[in-house]
């Protein structure tokens, strides 16, 4: 089942708002859609960022496939 662009954009906006709230110190943020409710706490920042990247990829805002990582020496 394909998700329409408007739904993906709404989810992306909600996820970005949740990340912002998390970054400014709100202890728990909630993203809800299609009867699903997900809570993100301070320890979930990485998971929330991955979710945002996934949504952006589905919207064509990021290249598909594996993201490159910086080389650290």
């Amino acid at each position: 089942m394909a998700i329409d662009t408007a739904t993906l954009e709404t989810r992306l906006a909600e996820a970005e708002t949740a990340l912002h709230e998390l970054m400014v110190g709100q202890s728990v943020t909630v993203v809800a859609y299609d009867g699903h409710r997900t809570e993100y706490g301070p320890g979930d920042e990485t998971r929330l960022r991955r979710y945002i990247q996934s949504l952006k990829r589905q919207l064509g805002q990021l290249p598909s496939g594996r993201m490159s990582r910086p080389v650290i020496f």
Side-chain angles (χ1 to χ4, degrees), residues 11-36:
R11 290 180 184 176
L12 177 59
E14 290 172 351
E16 287 177 331
T17 298
L19 179 61
H20 172 75
E21 290 172 355
L22 204 59
M23 298 307 294
V24 296
Q26 188 167 334
S27 61
V28 175
T29 58
V30 177
V31 176
Y33 59 89
D34 295 339
H36 300 280

Side-chain angles (χ1 to χ4, degrees), residues 5-68:
T5 302
T7 300
L8 288 172
E9 288 173 347
T10 299
R11 290 180 184 176
L12 177 59
E14 290 172 351
E16 287 177 331
T17 298
L19 179 61
H20 172 75
E21 290 172 355
L22 204 59
M23 298 307 294
V24 296
Q26 188 167 334
S27 61
V28 175
T29 58
V30 177
V31 176
Y33 59 89
D34 295 339
H36 300 280
R37 182 174 191 255
T38 305
E39 292 186 12
Y40 293 97
D44 295 319
E45 177 187 346
T46 301
R47 195 173 109 209
L48 185 53
R49 287 185 185 276
R50 285 185 188 141
Y51 177 59
I52 290 170
Q53 286 182 339
S54 170
L55 291 170
K56 286 183 174 182
R57 211 172 285 115
Q58 290 176 64
L59 287 165
Q61 296 178 7
L62 289 177
S64 61
R66 184 146 196 211
M67 301 292 290
S68 62

